[in-house]
Every structure is written in C-alpha cells, then in structure tokens.
Amino acid sequence: MENSTSLCSPRMLKGFRDTFTQEYLARRWLVNNVQKVYERYGFAPIETPALEYVDVLGKYLPECDTAEEGIFSFRDLDREWIALRYDLTAALARLVALYPELPKPFRRYQLGLVWRDEKPGLARFREFYQLDIDTVGCASMQADAEVCAVICDALTSLGFVVGEYQVKVSNRKILNGVLEKAGIDSLDSKGNLTEIGLTALRAIDKLDRIGLRGVMELLGPGRKDESGDFTKGAGLNSDQIIWIEKFLQIQAKSREQFCKELDALVGSTVIGKQGIDELLQIDQFLSAVGYTNSQVVFDPTIVRGLSYYTGPVFETVLTIPYHDEHGNERHFGSIFSGGRYDGLVERFLGYKVPATGASIGVDRLLEAMKCLGRINMPKATAQVLITSMDSQLMPEYQKLAFELRRAGICTELFMEKAGLKKQLKYADQWDIPLAIIVGSNEVSQHKVTIKDLRKGRELASEIKDRDEWRRSQPAQVIVDREALISTVQQMLAN
RNA sequence: GCAGCCGUAGCUCAGUUGUUGGUCUAGAGCGCCUGACUGUGGAUCAGGAGGUCAUGGGUUCGACCCCCAUCGGCUGUACCA
C-alpha cells in the first residue's frame, strides 16, 4: 500500500462544482425553455471566448500594471494581461465594436459560464452560468419593455404563473433626479457617478436587507450592524435624507399612478422628468399587450449594479417564499436582472450605442426551482435495464438491447457478473424505471419478464409477508418475446 | 477584508460540560458490503468493512478534551464592475 501522505487529495476549488446528471438535465431543460422564448422574439444565439484582454473587460489598472480584484486574471506568453470573463455583457460590447458592420439593431442571446473570484456563499459560486438577452442599437423604450415581456414569458415557460414572480422596474434617471432634488451632486461633468452619489445608491440598494431605517443610517453618518461592524455612511444631512425617504416610500396601485406620484417629487428636474417619460412609455407598451401590474411593477428601490446602467433597470424576484432548514420563511434573491446601458460601447468607438438587456442567473433560478420542487429529473437517462444473470445468454441480451434502442428506448445492458439482486438494486439506485429479466425459464417459453421498479417501490409499503410478496410479484409481467417493445412503451407511458 | 461560531467514520452527529484531563486500543443513526433468500431492489434480522478524533507544536505521569499557531468550513458584514 502507498503511504497515504504520498497520495494526492482529490480536492476542488471552492465555489466550483461538479454537475451530476440530475442537475445537468434540469439545467438543460431550463435553458432550452428559455432559449425557445428568446427565439420567439427573434433573438439569435452567439458565443464568445471565455478569455478576454483585461483592458477590454474594463478591469485593467494601468497604474498598478495589474487587474482589478474579483476577476480571475493572469498573463499569457506575450506578457499580456488576460482574464476569464465575469459577465457576458462586456464581451458583447467588444463584439459590437469589433464588427461595426453588424446590422442594427443587433439582437442576440448567449448562454455561457462566467467566473468571479469572490467569496462563495449560499447559491453564490465562483463559476456559474448566465443566459443573457440584449438588443444593441435600439434607443426605443419598446426594447426595454420587450425585455420585461421576455422575462415574464420565460418564467411562464418554466411553469411559473402570474403572482409567483414580479419584474421590478426603475430608472437610473429618476434616481439621479431624486439626488439632484436633494441637492446632492451625483454626477460629475462627464456624467459619471460621484463618490457621494455612489454611496447613496449603494445604501438604497440594500433596502430589502437592512430595511428603511438601515438605509437612512447609511445615508447619514453610518450604520452599526448586529455583529458590531460599522459601515461608514454617505454623510447626508437630514433634509437630504428626507427627500430620498419620500422617494423610497412611494407606493402606487398601478404603474401609471406610480409615475404620477413620481412626477410630483422629481418632475421638476430635467433628468427626473426624462426618466418618468421613459417609464410611461414602457407602461404603455406593456399595458397594450396585457402585462399587468402584478407581473411588471415600478419600484423605486431598484438600483442594480452601480456603474454602467444609464436608464431603465430591471430586477426579477420570485414572490414564493421557501422554508430553510430551520423552518424560517425566506425569499429567493434576484433571478433575472438587467437594464439599459447606452454608454458601454462608447469606450471602443467614441460614440454612444444604445443597448438594453437582461441576464438570468441560471444556477440561482435552478436552485430556487429545486427548493420549490418544481423540477424533478432522473439520475440517469436509461429507461430500461436489461439484467444479465446467465452469461451464456449474453448474445440474447444484446439483441434485446438493440431492439429496444432501435425503437428509441434508452436502454442499458448490465455487463458485469453479478447476482440479480445486485442488478436490480443498481437500477433502483439510478432511478431506471424498468428492468428486463430473462433466464432459462423465459428463453424456453419464448417470453421476457418486465419489472416496473417505480410501481414496485409504491407497492413495497404493503409488504407483509416476504415469501408471499416474492411469489406474487405484482409489479412485473411476463409477456411474449414479440410483445417486448410494445409492452415497454406502454409501461413507460404511464 | 473584518467579526463570531465550528472541524470526531462516506453523511449527520454524541463523547469535551463551572470541584477534575485517566472509564476512549473512540461510539450511534443513516449509507455501504455480505448472508438468511441456489432467479427479484425498496421491508426485517444477523454479521462485516470503514477513524493518524483537521494539521503542527506546547503543557502534563497521561490530551479527542487545556494552551498557541496554521489550514479548512459555516454565518453575519464589507466589496461585487
């Protein structure tokens, strides 16, 4: 035996996962459904590399000659800084800039792994899938409204009904209007967010976690959480905070009503007015095609990722709660988010290219659906296991297997030497629904035995006498060899 | 990054407790393997395999238990383009 200290430990990077069949099939089902919805709107699939130059991703720090934290980066043979992509949007901007001849609007969707070198947590990984949809080169609010509609349709295709999800929409221009109204310089001369504006937006973004009072503390001097940690605030005065509080507390029965309330608050600022107009246009489209206020709602507390959004922002939540291991009621985080980013391509081309889109957190949504019992996938693809208890009969088993496969039935043949008991247990462990048993008895009578393991499992609770149970075998049938395929098809069907 | 809690079998954990470190060559449940059942999974019963008590050092006659360090995990918080 090797000394155990000389063995290599099969360890794995934290925040990375192996995906087994059950989860793989569930993800494939989810992705297929959503992609079909995307295509129904005329979006087309593309793919881009996993690696990009760090400066293209916008993450190069020239003064340090290194990449920003939070991304996986390294140098290649040419000593160039490159990195694994942390989202799909940066690559889309690069793509649009690299192929200016692409007819606009350019409407694409993309499924891909992205990587972030951050602290992993509950349903937070360092490698995960995103499934993005974007329209590039269309400034109309109809494109933004369409994104909301796509989100609703995608969730519908996964079995969610109205009332189980909510697309929350706000607009960065409104937030800027509120800050302006409160006398906060949120934008500098180039239109970028200032430090104080950034801190204020971060505070607002935390509303769902720390509550209104927590947000107010963060807007003012700062906040101490229950662990005793202190977070420095934005240092706003109470008059300024009241403006923001008024804004956050807007509640309206409808999107239109929300815009009215908003108008009273920030309609007097140019940027705020613009933001309200944009929301009204989105409402117009959505209302015209029947997306109700319970599906898409205007919500002042939505902020989204801090830098590149320039207009409407979206965030989708599941309104169904779930219960954690302690029995506490909890809610899933945002599963489908995005917004308008008219400035992203400007970095490459020198002029603005309007763009809007959204991204599904595939793994997070999958996790939620698993929690809710909305996805149930088998552990294996085989529907039938042909047991082999007599090696002399192997040619016959092979024939059975190929007949079933030619009929389109996923079939596995047990090839190892093992007792029937072990083989049936194997089928049971992998959730294979049917087992075929053929021994000398069956061969001499030109029959096959087909055992329904799912049905057997159900009936097992009624077992009283084992011998009796074994003699009667209620979950299996013996049929003519010729009737194999039709019987299997019939048994799989119900 | 900061703070708190934790690390004993494949998994979930017991054992360490305010007068104490010796009973531990360390247990349970689940899972796994074998058999009762020479051709039948899930029930029942019997048996079996599986642990350098995270790692390294220290205190001690003696450490799973006390002290220090390291590593790993969980939770909260910060950051998250």
Side-chain angles (χ1 to χ4, degrees):
Chain A
M1 253 332 247
E2 284 284 315
N3 185 336
S4 65
T5 55
S6 71
L7 295 175
C8 184
S9 164
R11 68 208 174 104
M12 197 160 68
L13 291 167
K14 59 185 163 191
F16 287 69
R17 294 159 298 161
D18 293 318
T19 305
F20 285 95
T21 307
Q22 212 163 12
E23 183 154 1
Y24 184 95
L25 292 175
R27 189 173 66 219
R28 192 172 70 180
W29 172 85
L30 185 152
V31 165
N32 280 344
N33 275 288
V34 173
Q35 284 177 337
K36 265 184 247 160
V37 172
Y38 285 179
E39 290 184 9
R40 207 180 300 149
Y41 280 77
F43 290 86
I46 64 160
E47 199 158 85
T48 63
L51 291 169
E52 297 274 357
Y53 287 115
V54 170
D55 60 316
V56 167
L57 293 176
K59 295 290 126 191
Y60 186 62
L61 300 172
E63 63 275 17
C64 313
D65 186 32
T66 172
E68 274 183 35
E69 285 185 6
I71 62 172
F72 289 100
S73 61
F74 51 94
R75 288 189 183 198
D76 67 5
L77 279 178
D78 298 328
R79 308 290 294 158
E80 289 255 36
W81 277 101
I82 57 184
L84 285 164
R85 63 185 174 202
Y86 58 87
D87 73 9
L88 301 175
T89 311
L92 174 63
R94 189 224 78 211
L95 185 99
V96 168
L98 188 58
Y99 307 99
E101 73 279 11
L102 277 173
K104 308 288 187 313
F106 176 56
R107 293 154 64 81
R108 68 94 237 225
Y109 72 84
Q110 182 171 4
L111 169 72
L113 279 170
V114 300
W115 295 266
R116 297 185 188 183
D117 190 9
E118 292 166 356
K119 182 185 157 186
L122 196 67
R124 260 182 96 93
F125 308 103
R126 291 157 93 199
E127 176 185 71
F128 55 97
Y129 279 97
Q130 289 193 333
L131 180 47
D132 281 28
I133 185 168
D134 292 271
T135 297
V136 179
C138 179
S140 166
M141 282 302 122
Q142 294 199 55
D144 301 80
E146 194 183 61
V147 170
C148 298
V150 167
I151 293 173
C152 294
D153 289 7
L155 291 172
T156 302
S157 80
L158 298 176
F160 291 101
V161 299
V162 173
E164 291 184 326
Y165 61 88
Q166 205 167 42
V167 184
K168 298 177 174 184
V169 181
S170 185
N171 193 322
R172 290 300 273 267
K173 290 179 179 169
I174 291 167
L175 284 161
N176 290 333
V178 171
L179 295 177
E180 183 184 326
K181 200 75 186 176
I184 302 159
D185 294 323
S186 61
L187 298 178
D188 63 20
S189 52
K190 289 184 206 152
N192 296 319
L193 275 167
T194 58
E195 190 60 37
I196 191 163
L198 211 81
T199 311
L201 291 185
R202 276 182 200 152
I204 296 170
D205 195 34
K206 292 191 175 80
L207 183 80
D208 55 332
R209 265 189 300 149
I210 64 178
L212 188 61
R213 192 191 298 168
V215 173
M216 311 253 296
E217 286 168 1
L218 278 180
L219 289 171
R223 171 175 184 268
K224 192 185 274 189
D225 63 49
E226 52 273 23
S227 77
D229 252 25
F230 183 79
T231 309
K232 198 169 177 297
L236 304 183
N237 64 46
S238 53
D239 289 344
Q240 295 175 316
I241 294 175
I242 284 170
W243 273 104
I244 295 173
E245 189 189 5
K246 269 197 221 159
F247 169 68
L248 291 178
Q249 286 184 314
I250 292 179
Q251 290 191 341
K253 288 186 289 296
S254 69
R255 296 187 289 252
E256 209 181 344
Q257 179 68 27
F258 177 85
C259 291
K260 271 198 194 119
E261 306 258 340
L262 210 52
D263 195 58
L265 202 63
V266 293
S268 57
T269 66
V270 175
I271 190 99
K273 185 76 186 167
Q274 214 179 331
I276 294 167
D277 282 347
E278 291 182 359
L279 287 186
L280 281 170
Q281 289 172 50
I282 291 173
D283 172 53
Q284 211 174 18
F285 171 98
L286 290 172
S287 297
V289 289
Y291 290 89
T292 66
N293 195 60
S294 64
Q295 293 172 85
V296 183
V297 62
F298 291 166
D299 182 329
T301 67
I302 301 305
V303 179
R304 293 298 306 149
L306 300 158
S307 75
Y308 60 66
Y309 291 116
T310 56
V313 285
F314 329 112
E315 201 160 292
T316 309
V317 295
L318 295 178
T319 52
I320 324 163
Y322 72 102
H323 297 272
D324 63 17
E325 62 270 25
H326 307 295
N328 300 320
E329 192 174 292
R330 299 185 67 158
H331 284 268
F332 301 103
S334 172
I335 44 140
F336 202 150
S337 323
R340 178 164 281 275
Y341 47 99
D342 288 344
L344 247 199
V345 185
E346 189 176 11
R347 239 163 27 91
F348 300 105
L349 295 179
Y351 53 87
K352 286 190 191 308
V353 178
T356 187
S359 172
I360 281 196
V362 173
D363 302 86
R364 195 182 268 190
L365 178 55
L366 206 54
E367 203 62 32
M369 294 191 75
K370 263 162 52 186
C371 264
L372 294 168
R374 297 294 180 94
I375 299 188
N376 197 13
M377 291 287 160
K379 293 192 206 128
T381 54
Q383 299 167 286
V384 174
L385 178 77
I386 298 177
T387 60
S388 55
M389 58 183 173
D390 185 347
S391 57
Q392 300 291 307
L393 294 172
M394 205 40 103
E396 171 66 7
Y397 298 148
Q398 287 286 12
K399 261 197 260 174
L400 291 170
F402 278 87
E403 276 175 39
L404 286 163
R405 288 169 189 156
R406 275 185 212 114
I409 296 160
C410 306
T411 303
E412 174 174 348
L413 170 59
F414 199 96
M415 299 171 180
E416 292 291 296
K417 210 173 151 64
L420 232 204
K421 194 181 175 91
K422 185 174 176 154
Q423 298 184 44
L424 289 171
K425 187 167 185 172
Y426 170 82
D428 186 47
Q429 285 173 320
W430 286 110
D431 284 349
I432 300 172
L434 298 183
I436 309 281
I437 300 168
V438 174
S440 50
N441 297 350
E442 283 84 355
V443 169
S444 62
Q445 293 166 52
H446 205 62
K447 302 264 189 193
V448 294
T449 297
I450 307 171
K451 187 178 180 73
D452 187 331
L453 287 101
R454 288 177 304 189
K455 194 171 166 197
R457 196 182 310 192
E458 281 167 35
L459 295 171
S461 55
E462 293 159 25
I463 296 177
K464 291 205 175 62
D465 182 83
R466 187 186 168 82
D467 292 333
E468 159 91 37
W469 168 260
R470 282 181 136 191
R471 240 177 286 121
S472 63
Q473 286 298 356
Q476 68 186 49
V477 294
I478 301 173
V479 300
D480 287 338
R481 187 45 245 260
E482 285 72 29
L484 170 70
I485 288 171
S486 60
T487 311
V488 164
Q489 279 168 337
Q490 195 188 331
M491 289 171 85
L492 285 173
N494 56 49

